[in-house]
Amino acid sequence: MSAAALVPVALVGALVGLAVPPLARRFATPPDRTGADPEPRPTVWAWLSPMVAAVVFVGLAVARGDDPALPVFLAVAAVGLVLAGVDLACLRLPDPLVRTAALLALGGLTAAALLAGTPDRLLGALAGAAVAGAAHVLLALLPGSRLGFGDVKLAAVLGLPLGWLGRDALLAGLLLPHLLHGGLVLGLLAARRVRRDTLLPLGPALLAGAWLAVLLV
């Protein structure tokens, strides 16, 4: 994809990033007793979100510019940014957002496979979702595991686009999130910012690992 074509992609990403903080607040914080949304508070994330979203979108466009499923990757990334914001705020991955990402991924990849005449890639996407979901179910069932079933469902959804790209992308997408999360936990423990029993969100690592896997394959 040419540099000129990346400019509108970056602008769309930045616009998505502007919408992420208020959407994340809406899902992370329930309305008050009068039914009104709580007063929003400006955060560092609110300022960084447009830049992060632009980088995410441009990275996907550079890596998958010739893939008919690029719009699907961008749509899933947009929902993923909101999910990351919610998980960072309240250690929760709301089902409505995960379902939205799943519908966008499954519907978009089905359309892309039919339009491109590559139904085998859709089968690969479905297999990727099954493998990613099953692997994380096993991890969640391990004694002492802190993996929540929201994380399991998100991993299965991310298995769709990763499976579309093939075995290498799926394997990277399964391993990278846990390497990122483990490194972060060790760093925070070394800095004494958390304790061993502190719960930390895994959703952002799942999303970041999947994004890196797309860029690396």
Side-chain angles (χ1 to χ4, degrees):
M1 184 173 287
S2 67
L6 291 176
V7 173
V9 174
L11 290 175
V12 171
L15 290 174
V16 168
L18 287 173
V20 165
L23 286 172
R25 279 197 302 270
R26 182 175 293 274
F27 281 95
T29 308
D32 62 22
R33 295 178 181 177
T34 65
D37 289 335
E39 186 68 23
R41 298 178 182 177
T43 63
V44 174
W45 171 240
W47 295 104
L48 290 178
S49 180
M51 185 183 303
V52 171
V55 170
V56 168
F57 272 47
V58 169
L60 292 174
V62 170
R64 310 307 312 169
D66 58 346
D67 195 318
L70 175 60
V72 183
F73 283 73
L74 296 177
V76 173
V79 180
L81 288 164
V82 181
L83 278 165
V86 176
D87 205 15
L88 287 169
C90 65
L91 297 174
R92 190 164 58 88
L93 294 167
D95 281 343
L97 287 175
V98 177
R99 282 197 298 267
T100 298
L103 291 173
L104 288 171
L106 184 57
L109 292 176
T110 300
L114 293 176
L115 291 173
T118 55
D120 55 317
R121 296 192 75 178
L122 180 59
L123 293 177
L126 294 172
V131 170
H136 284 80
V137 166
L138 292 176
L139 289 175
L141 294 176
L142 289 175
S145 174
R146 296 183 181 181
L147 195 71
F149 276 90
D151 300 314
V152 173
K153 288 180 279 188
L154 178 58
V157 172
L158 294 176
L160 288 166
L162 292 172
W164 171 273
L165 296 179
R167 181 182 60 188
D168 291 345
L170 179 61
L171 181 60
L174 289 174
L175 294 177
L176 284 173
H178 299 284
L179 293 176
L180 292 172
H181 186 72
L184 175 63
V185 170
L186 289 176
L188 291 174
L189 284 171
R192 297 185 178 181
R193 299 293 301 272
V194 299
R195 300 182 306 180
R196 290 180 181 273
D197 59 348
T198 302
L199 292 177
L200 295 173
L202 181 61
L206 289 172
L207 291 157
W211 179 72
L212 287 174
V214 173
L215 268 59
L216 293 173
V217 297

